[in-house]
Amino acid sequence: MRSIFEIISRVVLHPSTAKDDESIQFLARCENFRLLLAANNKALKIMAEMSEEARSNDLFGMSHVRSQSLKVSANVRQMIERLCRMSPGKYDTLKDVFNVIVMDMEKALESSTGQCCGSLILSMDQISADSISETGSKMAMLGEIRSKLGIRVPEGFSITASAFLSFMENSGLDDEINRLIQIADSNDLNDLLVLEENIKHAIDLAAMPTELEDAIEKYCADLLAGVPDLRLAIRSSALGEDSGEASFAGQFISVLGVLPENIIDSYRAVVASMYSATAMTYLLNKGLREDELIMCVGCLEMIEAVAGGVIYTSDPIGKNKNALIISGVPGHPSSIVDGSALADTWVMDRTDRTLRDVFIADKEWQCLSSENGEIYRVKMCENRRSAPSIPYSAITELVEIALRIEKHFNCPQDIEWVKSSDGQIYILQCRPLSVTDSQRNVEQIPKKDEHESHVILRNCIPASHGFACGEVVMVETDDDMFNFPDGAVLLTYNAKPRLAVILPRAAALISEHGSATGHLANVAREFGIPAFIGVKGAVKNLSEARVVTVNTATGKIYKGCFEDQNPIREKKPVLPQNNPVTTALRNTLPFIVPLSLTVPDSSEFRPSNCTSLHDITRYCHEKAVAEMFRKNAMSAANAKRLKGERLLQYWLIDLGGGTSSSVDDKYVSLSDISSNTMKSLWIGMTKIPWDGPPPVQASGLISVISEAACNPALAPGMSNDLGDRNYFIVSRNYCNLQSRFGFHFCTVEGYAGDDPDENYAFFQFTGGGADKSRRMIRSWLIAGILEKQGFIVDVKEDSLFARIEGVAAEVVEQALAVAGYLLVHTRQIDMVMSDSNAYRNYQVKFEQGIEAVLSSYSSQNSEHGRSL
């Protein structure tokens, strides 16, 4: 027996062989529709995630933003492809609309790194604060204090941003690095460490532009002319590094004691450090874009240091007011920077330059530079371990230099310095210093819920966060929508997409059915409307509540209005509201999330009016439903007849896995059925025997006779699309029943597998023997009952279309049981629908019948396991 996937493959790969096989073509449409629904649910879920991320303080990088954009685009493209396969040639224009939207998304995500159009190398004489876009802050500030303040800094040059971009573009590293970042999990340390190694390996193997190599060689030769035994410090000076917003302190490496012939290798190492696990984590926590990283590199002459250290022109924790702090160690200051040694500390008064406090450390080790330039540690002599690393005269000189630098830049400074063997002070680095207010904010303790006694519903899961109160207004019909007042709390059975038209007027949304990944939930987040979706018992408990308070922070709905409530907020690290990553995400959302296509019957509901991916999903979903419910011609060549009392009018087509291997060639019994969906449908159809047609009034009978006379297609004995038979088309998890009972045409379909995103149940009901107005009333009755069971229902005149999607297999099975019951028991009731008492009586009867059917389903479920 062929599997469903083998049959689909035959249709897709060999369409000519299946041209006349209408059953296979129908199955192909079913499978495409199922895959369209799965893609739809995934797309909506990602849209929901992106909307929440844009409004939250969650940590994520640009790789995540690009990944989310790519995934939502891929799923929407899958929806278009599946819709086009369902009806070839009919919806091809959607592909062009999709391409335009995706191109706009890409433009919104583009980084601002620019092109490599500047000098590859700048000497220290050419560098100032104006050079920051080419040299980065570290080198630009050194050039600035040298040229404007006359402060000593090491000789050297900068390998610029233009050089970096040239290296990345000419070697193809930019694409390769972006690819590697994209596949790594930025929240997984193991992934980041692997990423670090992979990128370092790629950079080591990449070819260096010849022009850049020649420029580096030339500037090294100029330095060598003055210093024959030249050793260099190759230091990071990335764009954005050492800024007030992000210091990147210790995130990138410096390579010390480098011989001129080894500069290229050291340059590669510094560039690679930009993608280290620590640097990438720092970026993530700062909300900075990894795709805008540009590494400029400073190549500075190594100073033979006898002492060195760091100066803070203010106390960074705010403890010592009006203080300047100097720390120092003998030898090279790298031991302070890397935290490997205790340092001497002097606290100086900024105003009168007097010494406030001093701490002289017991310095066991010091760092020195070897003849080949390498830094190494040696033990201090006993008589020098407790001696100050620098004399007081050097301290006063450092104070004056530091305050001049602070004054020039007009902000507190973090300064790195060394003292050379000839007694000169050199500044190696200066950058803004972040200073914390000593008065720490006292964390507010959440208030006790003083309104606990007024809680109506609790443990509600928010679909969109916020706080609101207002009058509860139930919305079930179009009239309810038209009369919905501004500022009311919208209460509904189902979070139907069409409610988007009134959602901006609502204070809050509460829906008994639905999920946070639905269309309406997305719109609620877009408009900032507090929403609880999927609240069991919401309609029953809130219909008489008049005014309620919705508080998503507590997950509760209260009777009455309590504006004084303070939502309890979870403590999270707060990012700047407009950090670069969040800004990039927000820039893409207008092309993804807004939903403007909300009225399917409107002439504006067409591909050319889709301006977002959400619009396309709405369009594809609506049209796919229409394609599934259009007439089908089915081949019955492989049908088997159900055997048993009162079963001979039913036939079965097994697409694979729907029946047991014991089935013979002509007949199949109920015990042979293994399709979980058909079993559930059959429970609904047979649990409660049909009472027969209702007693017909004279007006009802005349209506039937008149309708039959006007519409010969409804006359008894006329064949349906499948002839005179009622067919079950089944597989292991799939069932489709197209049936005719007298004047009534019904289609029930469902798929209930392991993946909720692919599961669905459909129920179509049309026709009838009575006049159109009675048939329409009957459809409204069925629609109201189905909506209370979680179906999304659309009634068009006398035709009803109901569906449940993206739910667990058990929910689909229950929905099919409900549909089976209504399939059988709503026959011919259209003849009595002019009687309001009959309408109410049938409503009560059907709801009680459904309760009994579901109880029977649960019992069988318990006996035989979850799946029928």
Side-chain angles (χ1 to χ4, degrees), residues 244-398:
E245 293 75 26
S247 70
F248 286 92
Q251 302 305 306
F252 308 135
I253 69 167
S254 293
V255 185
L256 304 178
V258 177
L259 295 169
E261 59 266 29
N262 296 329
I263 288 181
I264 297 296
D265 288 341
S266 298
Y267 174 70
R268 291 179 191 272
V270 174
V271 169
S273 73
M274 190 166 57
Y275 306 101
S276 68
T278 53
M280 296 298 285
T281 302
Y282 182 87
L283 286 168
L284 179 69
N285 283 275
K286 281 289 186 178
L288 301 175
R289 296 182 58 149
E290 64 267 24
D291 62 343
E292 290 188 349
L293 286 174
I294 293 181
M295 180 59 77
C296 315
V297 174
C299 301
L300 299 171
E301 178 189 351
M302 283 280 291
I303 304 298
E304 186 179 347
V306 295
V310 174
I311 306 170
Y312 291 157
T313 61
S314 290
D315 186 345
I317 62 173
K319 181 180 179 181
N320 295 294
K321 296 297 183 182
N322 199 38
L324 181 148
I325 301 171
I326 300 172
S327 60
V329 293
H332 197 274
S334 57
S335 58
I336 286 185
V337 175
D338 65 20
S340 63
L342 288 173
D344 300 333
T345 303
W346 296 266
V347 179
M348 307 296 294
D349 190 288
R350 290 167 49 88
T351 303
D352 60 17
R353 277 53 164 181
T354 57
L355 181 64
R356 287 192 186 177
D357 198 5
V358 62
F359 168 75
I360 304 301
D362 180 10
K363 301 172 283 294
E364 185 178 1
W365 299 89
Q366 67 173 325
C367 290
L368 300 175
S369 178
S370 67
E371 290 185 1
N372 63 5
E374 293 181 358
I375 302 298
Y376 66 100
R377 288 204 316 165
V378 296
K379 278 207 167 192
M380 295 278 291
C381 299
E382 285 293 330
N383 61 347
R384 294 188 56 200
R385 287 177 54 163
S386 299
S389 51
I390 52 174
Y392 191 76
S393 59
I395 291 172
T396 57
E397 183 180 359
L398 287 170

Side-chain angles (χ1 to χ4, degrees), residues 65-109:
V65 176
R66 290 190 179 278
S67 175
Q68 292 285 74
S69 301
L70 179 62
K71 287 190 291 186
V72 72
S73 299
N75 280 289
V76 174
R77 185 64 178 83
Q78 170 81 328
M79 292 182 70
I80 296 171
E81 180 65 25
R82 295 299 165 182
L83 179 61
C84 289
R85 290 189 183 188
M86 291 176 73
S87 186
K90 190 174 179 180
Y91 301 105
D92 287 347
T93 56
L94 269 175
K95 297 177 182 178
D96 293 332
V97 174
F98 171 82
N99 290 337
V100 169
I101 293 174
V102 170
M103 288 177 64
D104 289 338
M105 285 172 53
E106 282 298 315
K107 291 178 182 177
L109 283 175

Side-chain angles (χ1 to χ4, degrees), residues 200-213:
K200 184 179 185 302
H201 182 67
I203 290 173
D204 286 342
L205 294 179
M208 189 69 62
T210 302
E211 184 182 7
L212 178 56
E213 285 188 329

Side-chain angles (χ1 to χ4, degrees), residues 792-807:
I792 294 176
V793 185
D794 188 13
V795 175
K796 295 183 178 178
E797 296 186 328
D798 66 333
S799 297
L800 176 145
F801 306 85
R803 62 189 186 273
I804 282 180
E805 308 157 353
V807 293

Side-chain angles (χ1 to χ4, degrees), residues 545-562:
R546 294 179 60 84
V547 175
V548 299
T549 295
V550 176
N551 190 343
T552 65
T554 62
K556 298 175 183 177
I557 301 171
Y558 305 79
K559 185 174 183 179
C561 186
F562 303 108

Side-chain angles (χ1 to χ4, degrees), residues 503-523:
L503 194 57
R505 292 158 49 195
L509 166 67
I510 304 170
S511 174
E512 181 140 345
H513 301 288
S515 73
T517 62
H519 288 293
L520 197 64
N522 274 273
V523 177

